[in-house]
Amino acid sequence: MVAKHSTPVLIVGAGPVGLALAGDLGWRGVRCTLIEKTDGAIEQPKMDLVGVRTMEFCRRWGIADWVRDAPYPGDYPQDYIWLTALNGYELGREKFPGRAFEACPPESPQKRERVPQDMFDPILKRFATSFEHVKLEYHTELVDFAEGPDGVQATVRNPLSGESRTITADYLIGTDGGASFVRERLGITMSGNPALTYTTNVIFRCANFSSLHDKGLGYRFIFIGPEGTWLTIVAVNGGDRFRMSIVGTPDKVTHTEADIHAALTRAMGRDFDYEILSVLRWVRRELVADSYGTERVFLAGDAAHLTSPTGALGMNTGIQDVVDLGWKLEAVLRGWGGPALLKRYEIERRPVAVRNVGASSANLDRMLATRTRRPPPEIFEPGTKGDAARKEYGDWYTRIMRHEWFMNGYHLGYRYDDSPIIIPDGTPAPPLETSTYTQTARPGARAPHVWLADCRSTLDLYGRGFVLLRLGRDAPAGEGLQAAAAERGVPCRVVDLDAPEVLAAYQRRLVLVRPDGHVAWRGDAEPANARAVIDRVRGAGPIAKGAHPDLEVAS
């Protein structure tokens, strides 16, 4: 790889999304520089659930065991509990085992993992910096950049010394969060709702928390008062650290120290000893960037989409962004990606963000539905009448909240149906699922997981270059696709599988899978124009709109 500038890729912002992009590029052998204006310390972990698709990427990168072995205790129950107070009445709960005892879903070789950001970021940092061609610089703030036809010139400053310098790059990626300087500098606006709630997060330490009440261990406690849902407490580390969130409303309120003390006391139902470690006042938003970038500058993660954390789709959607972007950057820098390839990043990822951000807000609406359907006074009173009211109200809330607890239709079921670098096969699009996910190998979808005889997953085949699957003993040779890929310099490995269960899942005898693990093309016979297929999936177009790739040759 020949770089025109001091770094092929400059990544701005070393949160989990920026670290994941640096790690993915490093894993691909692409040199990059990641800068972060702070020292990287995390006082307020903003995420704590690593989704199942993110875990599949960690499996690809060889770090799934690192995440599995993170400090969050494996036997800590992950129950969700709704209640009037910890020393009040329980209204219902959704039981989940500790993460060490939760089984993988049938559609994946991995499962979600409870690993908060202050545990997950160091894992991603360890992964990214394991590659000598990945450079990570803290106390390095982007203060300006200029984009030209051949690259980007960035001005960075050390906020401690005030020293400024210039970094030149082929591409600049803004993973610099919701207040993204990169997005602001590009003049990109965001659409949606800028203020769902004004919320105050309080990280506090209490070593004997569970002994102060009778509700047992749980991950998330949701508190419902006469005004409806007003507060949550989650077990940050499965030990002595907790996060209290005063949920708030769209009206801006600055909660004082006295407000925080009163909220903790009300939630517990009594006075107790605790230590406040940090306070974060933030705005819950529902926003998606109207553009994901330019020719050489792109946005990913919170810089591109801001979502309510209800559903754990924020960071996990960002990790999906950079996996999509990573292989495209590698392809273009190595010379086999076509001029339209990076333009397809926004086309593929923005619709996913719109769907996920909307789903997260719908989860918030369900959590706050108690503010519309206020609890009857009886649920706060002892006796059989109160018991009956609590059961009826709690059963209703339990039923509506299940939408948030089970979301594999979002974590695994996102598709690139309308992408110009995906070749449709004429089959109708299956409905987008929510709670469950039914695997499909229709072009644009994540290639299905099937266990192989050697205990590998089909997912273990994907990641480095394209993979051409030949399924069944009578599968076509695929020589045309192999020759076309070789001619264009596209890395493409052929894998022969004579496994009925794989053929049943993929439904065609030839399947071309992209480096990100999504199906690009499939068929039961060689395409009439294999070169057109390869050119289309590598972004070399144009192909006439509506034309079949067997008939049109990309220029």
Side-chain angles (χ1 to χ4, degrees):
M1 182 188 304
V2 178
K4 300 175 183 176
H5 301 97
S6 59
T7 185
V9 182
L10 176 62
I11 306 166
V12 182
V17 175
L19 288 165
L21 178 56
D24 187 67
L25 290 174
W27 182 78
R28 297 183 182 284
V30 175
R31 190 160 56 88
C32 63
T33 299
L34 172 61
I35 62 172
E36 167 58 45
K37 64 182 179 182
T38 72
D39 62 1
I42 301 167
E43 291 186 358
Q44 283 265 352
K46 296 179 181 178
M47 54 71 56
D48 50 25
L49 184 70
V50 182
V52 61
R53 184 58 172 155
T54 300
M55 284 305 302
E56 290 179 353
F57 298 141
C58 290
R59 179 187 180 95
R60 172 189 301 179
W61 296 328
I63 63 171
D65 288 350
W66 300 1
V67 182
R68 181 201 64 198
D69 296 337
Y72 198 104
D75 60 351
Y76 189 91
Q78 294 297 294
D79 293 6
Y80 295 80
I81 306 162
W82 24 106
L83 65 170
T84 61
L86 286 162
N87 282 289
Y89 297 106
E90 180 173 320
L91 303 175
R93 73 170 63 204
E94 193 77 48
K95 291 186 176 182
F96 288 98
R99 66 191 189 98
F101 302 100
E102 186 173 10
C104 295
E107 61 269 21
S108 179
Q110 297 294 150
K111 59 181 176 64
R112 59 190 177 183
E113 295 285 353
R114 183 71 64 194
V115 181
Q117 186 180 357
D118 55 355
M119 298 178 188
F120 191 51
D121 277 18
I123 293 170
L124 292 175
K125 177 183 176 181
R126 176 184 167 194
F127 169 56
T129 56
S130 68
F131 305 102
E132 61 180 14
H133 46 278
V134 173
K135 188 177 183 181
L136 173 56
E137 299 182 11
Y138 289 107
H139 296 301
T140 305
E141 180 180 10
L142 178 70
V143 294
D144 199 9
F145 64 88
E147 179 181 359
D150 297 322
V152 181
Q153 182 169 288
T155 302
V156 301
R157 181 179 66 90
N158 184 316
L160 301 180
S161 68
E163 179 185 359
S164 295
R165 59 191 173 92
T166 297
I167 300 175
T168 58
D170 292 270
Y171 297 96
L172 185 150
I173 315 299
T175 58
D176 50 342
S180 171
F181 172 79
V182 175
R183 186 186 66 237
E184 180 183 330
R185 180 68 176 76
L186 291 174
I188 293 175
T189 55
M190 303 188 86
S191 294
N193 189 335
L196 296 170
T197 67
Y198 284 85
T199 297
T200 299
N201 281 3
V202 179
I203 302 292
F204 68 94
R205 178 180 287 123
C206 180
N208 62 335
F209 186 82
S210 63
S211 69
L212 299 174
H213 59 83
D214 62 356
K215 303 302 181 292
L217 300 177
Y219 161 67
R220 181 174 170 189
F221 298 88
I222 301 175
F223 295 84
I224 298 174
E227 72 273 46
T229 303
W230 67 281
L231 182 132
T232 66
I233 292 178
V234 301
V236 172
N237 66 347
D240 63 347
R241 277 193 302 137
F242 299 84
R243 180 177 66 239
M244 177 187 77
S245 296
I246 304 174
V247 179
T249 71
D251 298 322
K252 187 173 183 179
V253 175
T254 300
H255 296 104
T256 65
E257 185 176 337
D259 293 332
I260 292 169
H261 173 73
L264 281 167
T265 302
R266 179 184 173 189
M268 182 60 73
R270 52 169 283 193
D271 282 322
F272 70 105
D273 293 328
Y274 57 84
E275 177 189 4
I276 292 179
L277 302 179
S278 65
V279 177
L280 174 68
R281 296 171 177 86
W282 61 285
V283 185
R284 193 187 309 258
R285 305 187 190 276
E286 180 187 3
L287 296 171
V288 179
D290 296 321
S291 167
Y292 270 32
T294 60
E295 295 287 329
R296 292 186 172 273
V297 182
F298 300 94
L299 305 175
D302 283 358
H305 40 80
L306 289 165
T307 179
S308 171
T310 40
L313 291 173
M315 180 211 71
N316 291 293
T317 302
I319 301 288
Q320 296 166 18
D321 290 342
V322 299
V323 169
D324 184 89
L325 191 54
W327 79 269
K328 292 180 170 74
L329 287 167
E330 178 195 7
V332 172
L333 288 165
R334 294 196 186 281
W336 58 265
L341 187 60
L342 283 168
K343 299 179 191 300
R344 305 321 181 206
Y345 166 62
E346 176 180 330
I347 292 173
E348 293 189 338
R349 291 303 307 163
R350 190 174 184 277
V352 177
V354 170
R355 180 174 184 247
N356 288 358
V357 166
S360 301
S361 295
N363 284 336
L364 176 67
D365 289 343
R366 281 184 279 268
M367 187 179 87
L368 301 183
T370 53
R371 295 182 177 181
T372 302
R373 182 178 171 177
R374 296 286 181 90
E378 291 80 11
I379 77 165
F380 305 103
E381 299 172 1
T384 55
K385 189 175 180 180
D387 291 340
R390 282 186 284 276
K391 184 177 189 313
E392 180 183 359
Y393 197 77
D395 287 350
W396 163 74
Y397 197 66
T398 298
R399 188 167 58 254
I400 67 170
M401 288 299 288
R402 285 202 174 116
H403 289 269
E404 180 177 343
W405 316 144
F406 303 97
M407 296 196 71
N408 274 359
Y410 293 93
H411 285 279
L412 295 174
Y414 62 94
R415 305 196 305 260
Y416 304 138
D417 292 345
D418 299 323
S419 171
I421 56 173
I422 293 292
I423 302 173
D425 63 358
T427 58
L432 290 169
E433 297 177 87
T434 57
S435 298
T436 60
Y437 176 56
T438 303
Q439 297 194 104
T440 175
R442 185 176 184 269
R446 158 192 169 273
H449 152 69
V450 181
W451 286 114
L452 302 175
D454 59 4
C455 297
R456 288 183 302 161
S457 164
T458 48
L459 271 57
D460 298 332
L461 303 172
Y462 315 132
R464 299 188 183 277
F466 281 79
V467 172
L468 178 62
L469 297 177
R470 299 193 305 196
L471 303 180
R473 295 181 183 179
D474 58 347
E479 292 175 348
L481 289 169
Q482 295 178 62
E487 178 187 352
R488 299 305 202 202
V490 177
C492 184
R493 185 166 59 97
V494 178
V495 176
D496 295 319
L497 293 175
D498 184 14
E501 58 273 22
V502 178
L503 182 57
Y506 283 75
Q507 298 183 323
R508 298 294 186 275
R509 294 182 297 168
L510 287 177
V511 183
L512 186 65
V513 181
R514 307 191 323 184
D516 62 347
H518 283 253
V519 176
W521 171 90
R522 67 177 179 172
D524 280 324
E526 289 261 19
N529 192 333
R531 182 184 296 169
V533 171
I534 294 299
D535 279 342
R536 175 105 168 240
V537 301
R538 71 184 183 94
I543 290 180
K545 187 175 182 179
H548 192 282
D550 287 356
L551 304 177
E552 299 291 332
V553 179
S555 59

